Amino acid sequence: MFRTIDWSGGAVVMLDQTRLPAEVIYRRYERAEEVAEAIRSMVIRGAPAIGVAAAMGIALGMKEAGGSSMVDLERRMENLSKVFAATRPTAVNLFWAINRMRRTFESTRGLTPAGAVAALEKEALLIRDEDLEINRRMGRHGEPLIPESARVLTHCNAGALATAGYGTALGVIRAAVEKGKKVRVLADETRPFLQGARLTAWELAQDGIDVTLITDNAAGHFMSRGEVDLAIVGADRIATNGDVANKIGTYSVAVLARESSIPFYVAAPLSTIDLSLASGVEIPIEERDPEEVKRAGTTRVAPEEVTARHPAFDVTPARFVTAIITEAGVAKAPYEKSLKALFEGSS
Ligand code: MRU
């Protein structure tokens, strides 16, 4: 089994997701700035995995400055928080993890610098371990929603590669398979980064889970012919009213699912829910380099001079979401009430 991200011998090790599925290459980072660049360039991606990477990156950066005074460490923490916060704007797990590391640092006042650095390393590893456990719990809550012999459509990659392991949407699918259900997955290829083709197809095939790759624009075709029983995706940020930001194209999948009377589920940890935002219009949407749209891999597929746009995420209004599966249970509309109740129940 592959490891998405690891802490090994005082360095951060990541499976390079820009090279999958052609090559399985692990990158070793010994400097925080390198970890930030790995997030920016999508060597690691997926909301929970980005959070774990930022936490480990901060732990690494604080270790680099380990011999300094607590005042120097405080300055370093400020600086690292800014560096990581500037990597990718949409996945709230990034900011959640940064804040958790900041709170841990604050709680180390009175310790030696070495003690503070050790506490930060421990916290980063705890965030990783908790993520894995959260995904398994999410799987247990979501599994009953997957019928026997279900044909399940998913978009992007919300799997082990997008988390510390097991996955959110793919975690629910894994839990159903572990229960003995025969599940068949339709994976949208997810242009332009091809998370579906390169990552979801790869990780499900590694696990022997039945997966069929389709182009993004074939989703409606299969739904309209009765070849999809439900859709399930992950999320990068969920607002208080249940609006869901996820990979570009998710909104189209949700609208098509509604038109075809197919349930549309979102699986995400509580750390993806941003109760500071009332609705999805407030969610910052990352715009990536248009060059990524004008290429398929390294091959140019559009005239050099043409203008392209590349929003990396879209927002699916809550009215299209059948249910949100979390580690604390399953929320249904009205989400203002049900999401808050999950937080209250988990504390
Ligand atoms: O641009 P990416 O690959 O980081 O986008 C990932 C997604 O949109 C995932 O669906 C989301 O982060 C959930 S991952 C469990």
Side-chain angles (χ1 to χ4, degrees), residues 236-257:
D236 285 80
R237 199 186 290 230
I238 300 173
T240 308
N241 71 345
D243 289 351
V244 174
N246 190 49
K247 179 53 52 195
I248 191 74
T250 300
Y251 173 41
S252 319
V253 171
V255 173
L256 287 167

Side-chain angles (χ1 to χ4, degrees), residues 42 45-48 88 156-158 162-163 168 195 234-236 246-247 313:
M42 294 172 66
R45 32 62 53 200
R88 298 194 69 193
C156 194
N157 172 266
T163 60
T168 58
Q195 287 94 332
D236 285 80
N246 190 49
K247 179 53 52 195
F313 301 95

Side-chain angles (χ1 to χ4, degrees), residues 209-228:
I209 296 174
D210 186 324
V211 58
T212 300
L213 180 65
I214 61 170
T215 58
D216 297 322
N217 40 18
H221 168 78
F222 287 110
M223 287 189 194
S224 71
R225 292 164 68 111
E227 295 187 37
V228 180

